[in-house]
């Protein structure tokens, strides 16, 4: 595979599943190549090869810390969002005395299952906030829970943006509440790091999870921000890597790619955001013009959400079940909700259940990046029309 590999140029497919993962950018590949080819040293080795890769890891850490307003000592590289979430939640219980976790039913499984798993090992009370029809957790209920008992032993774990329907949390408000009551706050920011400005000094959190492959970086690498006040022991025991916080030889090329992808995203954040927002608005309009009774989960039309995601709710139709498959055959990649671990299409989603979405309707998540184009949107609309419309608008009365 050449260094010039670049998904959108190579492939004639239309990729609208960027919330599942994003294609690597050419600049990111180019930043990683010298590490793959030449800089193979183990960062823990004290000889020249080791010192070289140590420098690469530490300069990546500096760059990530700068991007989120943290100090370098608060950034820990991990294998991705799942490990970051597991570390934050399980170590908060194991090492910081957390005995109550307040979360929501719409969290990613990496949070939901980590909470359930740690609660099987420790006496942890789990409280789940109500969410409204758009997936917004009830912050009045959060405050009531926080006021109820010893908030210092409470962890609040709420995702910054929902990967299925794009609901965006008011992180500042949640952070302020947690500070007021002295609770720890973890946010799964896997869908928002590199897409929204995040500054942990302005919006304090105890833990923040991120993953490179959601912002055009490589898979299998992410980071966990851990506020310096929270002294946890390693989640992964082993050598003294990551300042004794995570054993295991560092994924040096991944870390270099993550830092490069984040730098690019920060530099181009406003342009990318505006471009994707315009594209999504155009898609919404074309869908509205094409299909009667089209609806959207979350609040995409208010533009106050995760702008990369559009969760479309199609009206009941016998053709719905095969819609995603037909789109795939037509060269269009979207998702039935979130990418699921089996690779098979999911028939139900805990997020859609939590917002009480009508099970007769069909939800398809289209998720965008700055690499998508209006021409692609037109193509998708024309395919959807071909697949669905013989049964609705085009049928003579
Ligand atoms: N959290 C959210 C909100 C996600 O969307 C994902 C990925 O789908 C994850 C966590 C897991 O991240 P990773 O794939 O890096 O383990």
């Amino acid at each position: 595979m050449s260094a010039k590999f670049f998904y959108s140029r190579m492939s004639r497919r239309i990729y609208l599943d960027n919330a599942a993962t994003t294609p690597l950018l050419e600049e990111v590949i180019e930043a990683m190549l010298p590490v793959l080819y030449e800089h193979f040293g183990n960062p823990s080795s004290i000889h020249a090869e080791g010192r070289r890769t140590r420098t690469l890891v530490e300069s990546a850490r500096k760059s990530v810390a700068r991007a989120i307003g943290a100090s370098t000592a608060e950034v820990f590289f991990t294998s991705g969002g799942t490990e970051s979430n597991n570390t934050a939640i399980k170590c908060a219980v194991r090492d910081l005395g957390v005995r109550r976790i307040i979360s929501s039913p719409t969290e990613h499984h990496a949070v939901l299952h980590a909470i359930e798993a740690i609660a099987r090992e420790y006496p942890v009370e789990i409280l789940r906030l109500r969410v409204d029809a758009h997936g917004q957790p009830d912050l009045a209920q959060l405050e009531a829970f926080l006021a109820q008992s010893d908030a210092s032993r409470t962890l609040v774990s709420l995702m910054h943006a929902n990967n299925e329907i794009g609901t965006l949390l008011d992180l500042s408000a949640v952070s302020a509440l947690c500070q007021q009551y002295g609770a720890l706050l973890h946010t799964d920011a896997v869908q928002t790091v590199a897409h929204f400005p995040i500054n942990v000094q302005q919006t304090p959190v105890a833990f923040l999870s991120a993953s490179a492959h959601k912002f055009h970086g490589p898979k299998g690498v992410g980071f966990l921000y851990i506020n310096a006040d929270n002294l946890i022991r390693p989640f992964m025991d082993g050598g003294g890597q990551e300042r004794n916080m995570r054993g295991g030889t560092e994924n040096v090329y991944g870390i270099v790619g993550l830092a490069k992808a984040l730098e690019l995203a920060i530099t181009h954040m406003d342009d990318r955001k505006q471009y994707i927002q315009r594209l999504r608005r155009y898609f919404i309009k074309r869908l509205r013009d094409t299909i009667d009774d089209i609806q959207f989960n979350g609040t995409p039309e208010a533009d106050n959400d995760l702008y990369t995601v559009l969760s479309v709710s199609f009206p009941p139709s016998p053709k719905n079940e095969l819609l995603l498959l037909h789109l795939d055959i037509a060269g269009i990649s979207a998702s039935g909700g979130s990418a699921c671990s089996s690779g098979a299409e999911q028939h139900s989603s805990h997020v859609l259940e939590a917002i009480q979405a009508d099970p007769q309707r069909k939800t398809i998540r289209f998720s965008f990046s700055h690499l998508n184009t209006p021409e692609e949107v037109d193509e998708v609309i024309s395919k959807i029309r071909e697949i669905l419309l013989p049964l609705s608008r085009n049928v003579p009365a």
Side-chain angles (χ1 to χ4, degrees):
M1 190 174 70
S2 109
K4 298 294 170 206
F5 174 82
F6 188 33
Y7 184 86
S8 61
R9 277 187 227 153
M10 289 280 295
S11 166
R12 292 176 52 86
R13 290 184 61 87
I14 297 175
Y15 184 77
L16 289 178
D17 200 12
N18 290 280
T21 197
T22 49
L24 276 172
L25 292 181
E26 192 172 350
E27 295 94 320
V28 174
I29 296 175
E30 274 166 5
M32 291 167 70
L33 275 180
V35 192
L36 286 156
Y37 277 124
E38 289 169 50
H39 306 307
F40 63 89
N42 185 325
S44 297
S45 301
I46 53 166
H47 48 57
E49 286 86 349
R51 289 198 306 274
R52 175 75 194 124
T53 47
R54 165 65 49 213
T55 307
L56 293 173
V57 169
E58 294 317 317
S59 94
R61 196 186 315 280
K62 216 179 265 175
S63 151
V64 170
R66 202 180 317 118
I68 62 165
S71 87
T72 50
E74 295 172 313
V75 173
F76 299 89
F77 292 114
T78 65
S79 64
T82 300
E83 185 188 325
S84 296
N85 286 338
N86 270 268
T87 305
I89 290 163
K90 294 179 177 173
C91 294
V93 171
R94 191 191 63 186
D95 302 332
L96 303 177
V98 161
R99 288 297 173 261
R100 201 163 59 138
I101 301 180
I102 305 175
S103 189
S104 90
T106 55
E107 299 299 309
H108 191 272
H109 281 146
V111 164
L112 290 177
H113 294 168
I115 293 174
E116 285 160 16
I118 197 68
R120 284 194 289 272
E121 286 180 43
Y122 290 81
V124 177
E125 181 190 10
I126 304 173
L127 299 170
R128 294 209 198 291
L129 298 176
R130 276 187 300 268
V131 295
D132 70 12
H134 303 306
Q136 279 294 351
D138 184 337
L139 297 193
Q141 191 185 28
L142 172 61
E143 177 153 25
F145 283 157
L146 287 172
Q148 254 168 28
S149 60
D150 187 2
S152 67
R153 290 160 75 83
T154 298
L155 174 74
V156 174
S157 180
L158 291 173
M159 66 203 314
H160 191 193
N162 185 276
N163 50 301
E164 291 193 34
I165 59 173
T167 311
L168 186 67
L169 183 75
D170 185 346
L171 191 59
S172 309
V174 172
S175 165
L177 276 176
C178 289
Q179 284 177 81
Q180 185 186 336
Y181 289 93
L184 295 170
L185 172 59
H186 163 244
T187 189
D188 174 348
V190 163
Q191 293 289 343
T192 53
V193 163
H195 300 288
F196 288 91
I198 288 179
N199 186 303
V200 293
Q201 278 167 34
Q202 286 160 13
T203 310
V205 296
F207 304 99
L208 181 143
S209 307
S211 179
H213 73 102
K214 307 291 186 179
F215 51 86
H216 305 283
K219 290 167 189 58
V221 64
F223 68 85
L224 176 63
Y225 161 82
I226 308 178
N227 178 274
D229 292 341
N230 301 303
L231 296 176
I232 60 171
R233 289 185 288 117
F235 178 65
M236 189 98 87
D237 290 306
Q241 291 91 352
E242 294 298 286
R243 297 180 313 290
N244 286 319
M245 197 66 101
R246 184 199 188 253
T249 302
E250 295 87 342
N251 172 2
V252 183
Y253 25 81
I255 290 168
V256 167
L258 179 154
K260 182 67 185 180
L262 188 54
E263 278 165 30
L264 287 167
I266 302 271
T267 307
H268 301 294
M269 189 180 286
D270 290 343
D271 293 347
R272 285 186 189 175
K273 182 176 177 196
Q274 279 168 28
Y275 178 81
I276 297 169
Q277 271 175 333
R278 267 204 310 277
L279 201 62
R280 189 176 71 156
R281 272 185 226 129
Y282 178 60
F283 194 32
I284 290 173
K285 182 181 178 324
R286 296 276 346 248
L287 282 168
R288 281 222 178 281
D289 292 346
T290 308
I291 297 169
D292 291 334
D293 190 26
I294 198 86
Q295 294 175 12
F296 303 100
N297 298 307
T299 55
E301 285 164 297
D303 251 352
N304 58 359
D305 65 341
L306 176 63
Y307 53 89
T308 49
V309 166
L310 184 63
S311 175
V312 182
S313 166
F314 288 88
S317 153
K319 295 226 161 182
N320 276 351
E321 277 323 304
L322 292 178
L323 180 53
L324 206 52
L325 179 67
H326 283 306
L327 286 174
D328 190 16
I329 292 166
I332 296 160
S333 303
S335 153
S338 66
C340 68
S341 38
S342 68
E345 189 181 336
Q346 279 174 319
H347 290 288
S348 70
S349 130
H350 66 284
V351 176
L352 297 178
E353 260 169 47
I355 62 166
Q356 297 180 351
D358 179 353
Q360 304 301 316
R361 301 178 66 91
K362 172 75 179 169
T363 290
I364 294 192
R365 179 188 69 181
F366 297 93
S367 48
F368 305 88
S369 82
H370 64 282
L371 303 174
N372 294 121
T373 64
E375 291 72 29
E376 288 181 330
V377 168
D378 290 337
E379 178 83 23
V380 175
I381 294 289
S382 107
K383 289 295 173 202
I384 291 175
R385 186 191 283 274
E386 266 172 40
I387 298 164
L388 287 184
L389 283 200
L391 281 169
S392 56
R393 242 183 226 178
N394 284 0
V395 179

